[in-house]
């Protein structure tokens, strides 16, 4: 098969011929139709993600069709249209059995980091990592959009539950111009919240407004906390979702919360920060982490797209051979929404 291989960190992709994968017991192989190209995997390519063993085929936001299943596999058959779960969860521990797979106690890591991923004609995974696509998703016509749902759209969908976003609440999204941030704007609007997009990339504000942002705030223009207070009659916002998670954004986000406000971090820079214990007390505020998304939440997100209620924003779709150029744009932050590679 054709595969885009990374020989090491911070190296260009190499278009390589690899043997077609064969499924062992409990495994399945899918023909990859498309694969999303987000910042998460660009971090791997750029060498910012420790612990990855090279050579490696990256990519996890796939749309594909099952071409072979190994011994003992049930519930998956040749011809099934699939996408993939990003975490190699065990499926058997107390967290997996509680439908909280991102917290798996025996995780094997991630698709495209700890095993080969979707930047190739075929992908082999443990069968339970594949997720069958529901009826009503035209994956043949829109494979790139369907493929990115499992991360770019489902991760923001999960945040709505984690932060208990209710209709009419005000949600500020820090890093709203990024690939996940803009889908968070979209999903918060879908949840009938009032959405404020916060980003330093003013050129992305038009896209944020199109995705549903009611207001935009650029921290480069001055006091972001004051701006968020001004937009909420001095009360503060109900929810901050921080995709940047640098010390400055986390501390601004915590200060911008109102009564019963919730701050959600999804990692990002993952820096330490200070918050006021007195504000947490007096205003009954909460600081939360949200990690990826459960399988059930992915199924719910696929259904939302199948019903036509939201549509993933993929603005740059190119053949596998142009992976290097796509990743250069991802690195420079030039992509609006998501980019994706078309493989079949
Ligand atoms: Zn588990």
């Amino acid at each position: 098969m054709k595969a885009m291989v990374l020989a090491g960190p911070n190296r260009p992709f190499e278009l390589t011929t690899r043997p077609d994968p064969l499924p062992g017991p409990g495994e399945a192989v899918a023909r990859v139709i498309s694969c999303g190209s987000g910042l998460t995997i660009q971090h791997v390519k750029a060498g910012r993600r420790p612990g990855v063993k090279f050579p490696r085929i990256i990519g996890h936001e796939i749309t594909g069709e099952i071409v072979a299943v190994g011994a003992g596999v049930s519930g998956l058959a040749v011809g099934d249209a699939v996408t993939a779960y990003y975490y190699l969860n065990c499926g058997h521990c107390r967290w997996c059995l509680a439908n909280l797979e991102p917290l798996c106690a025996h995780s094997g890591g991630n698709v495209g980091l700890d095993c080969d991923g979707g930047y190739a004609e075929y992908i082999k995974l443990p069968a339970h990592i594949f997720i069958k696509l529901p009826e009503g998703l035209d994956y043949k016509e829109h494979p790139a959009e369907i493929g990115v749902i499992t991360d770019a759209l489902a991760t923001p969908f999960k945040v709505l539950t984690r932060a208990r976003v209710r209709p009419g609440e005000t949600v500020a999204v820090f890093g709203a111009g990024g690939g996940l941030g803009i889908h968070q704007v979209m999903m918060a609007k879908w949840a009938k919240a009032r959405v404020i997009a916060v980003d330093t990339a003013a050129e992305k504000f038009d896209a944020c407004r199109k995705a549903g942002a009611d207001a935009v705030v650029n921290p480069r223009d001055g006091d972001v906390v004051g701006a968020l207070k001004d937009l909420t009659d001095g009360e503060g916002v109900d929810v901050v979702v921080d995709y940047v998670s640098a010390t400055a954004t986390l501390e601004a986000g915590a200060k911008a919360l109102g009564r019963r406000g919730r701050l959600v971090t999804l990692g990002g820079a993952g820096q330490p920060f200070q918050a006021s214990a007195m504000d947490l007390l007096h205003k009954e505020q909460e600081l939360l982490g949200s990690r990826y998304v459960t399988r059930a939440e992915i199924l719910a997100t696929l259904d939302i797209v199948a019903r036509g209620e939201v549509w993933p924003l993929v603005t740059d779709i190119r053949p596998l051979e142009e992976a290097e150029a796509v990743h250069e744009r991802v690195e420079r932050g030039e992509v609006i929404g998501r980019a994706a590679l078309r493989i079949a």
Side-chain angles (χ1 to χ4, degrees), residues 85-89 101-102 107 109-111 129 291-292 295:
Y85 196 64
Y86 175 39
Y87 284 22
L88 294 164
N89 68 303
E101 301 94 339
S107 178
N110 299 93
V111 174
I129 299 300
R291 186 175 183 182
Y292 189 42
R295 199 174 302 251

Side-chain angles (χ1 to χ4, degrees), residues 89-93 96 104-106:
N89 68 303
C90 77
H92 304 293
C93 73
C96 286
C104 175
H106 310 294

Side-chain angles (χ1 to χ4, degrees), residues 163-164 166 169-170 235-240 253-254 256-264 279-280 282-288:
R164 306 185 306 281
R166 292 185 296 269
E169 287 196 317
T170 299
E235 284 289 315
V237 299
D238 298 299
V239 174
V240 168
L257 293 178
R259 293 177 178 81
R260 286 258 163 157
R262 291 87 75 196
L263 169 73
V264 185
D279 281 349
L280 295 184
H282 289 300
K283 299 180 182 176
E284 291 202 331
Q285 296 168 335
E286 294 170 69
L287 307 177
L288 302 164

